[in-house]
Amino acid sequence: MIRTMLTQLLLGSILIVATSVVAAGFWFVLVQGLDRLRPVLRRPPHGPKLMLVLTFALLVTVAMLTAAVWIWAVTLYALGIFSTFEASVYFSLVAFTTLGFGDVLLPIEWRLLGGLSAANGLLLFGLMTAMLVETLRETRLRQRGTPPV
């Protein structure tokens, strides 16, 4: 019982670290992309360019979240927890978003992973929000000619 619980906690922690590394990679892509666009973004008109930045940032963050859900789904499927890959993806998405329909459940011996997946989702949704706010703040400051602090 204790060994199974520790295995789940270790596996969940590894998955959280893996998704965090993936998220950092997506953040790097976002920053690099915006750095390349910076000279263009400073010139007026600013409104359409701010929409472009927001769209780019949203696409990158959605890709980040999608990659994280897939990491969990592939792991659950590889462990044989679900009989179909679709069920693994569905459970991962529902747990990750903390939606929790309850129509697809983990077996009792793996149920701690559900909570860890939800915690991972909360962390990454917080990171996603911070990424979007920081991206828009920095873009607006640079458009106004004020260097970001």
Side-chain angles (χ1 to χ4, degrees):
M1 176 73 104
I2 297 286
R3 194 165 97 143
T4 303
M5 188 171 70
L6 291 176
T7 300
Q8 290 179 73
L9 291 173
L10 178 62
L11 177 60
S13 297
I14 289 169
L15 290 171
I16 290 170
V17 169
T19 59
S20 298
V21 169
V22 168
F26 277 98
W27 176 257
F28 179 77
V29 167
L30 177 63
V31 169
Q32 292 299 309
L34 291 175
D35 280 348
R36 287 191 181 122
L37 292 173
R38 186 166 288 132
V40 174
L41 295 174
R42 286 184 181 168
R43 294 191 301 261
H46 296 306
K49 292 173 185 167
L50 192 59
M51 288 176 26
L52 174 70
V53 168
L54 179 60
T55 301
F56 179 58
L58 282 170
L59 289 173
V60 170
T61 54
V62 166
M64 172 194 71
L65 291 170
T66 301
V69 167
W70 278 88
I71 288 169
W72 277 88
V74 166
T75 302
L76 295 175
Y77 187 70
L79 289 170
I81 294 173
F82 292 107
S83 59
T84 66
F85 190 63
E86 186 274 336
S88 294
V89 172
Y90 176 78
F91 177 83
S92 296
L93 181 60
V94 169
F96 207 79
T97 59
T98 69
L99 192 54
F101 283 134
D103 55 339
V104 175
L105 300 173
L106 288 170
I108 265 190
E109 61 271 12
W110 290 105
R111 67 183 175 182
L112 289 179
L113 287 180
L116 291 167
S117 176
N120 193 183
L122 286 170
L123 289 170
L124 288 188
F125 273 101
L127 178 63
M128 176 186 73
T129 302
M131 285 170 57
L132 291 173
V133 168
E134 176 60 18
T135 299
L136 293 176
R137 184 188 75 80
E138 184 175 320
T139 301
R140 287 301 293 149
L141 286 173
R142 288 185 189 278
Q143 285 178 339
R144 291 180 181 154
T146 308
V149 182

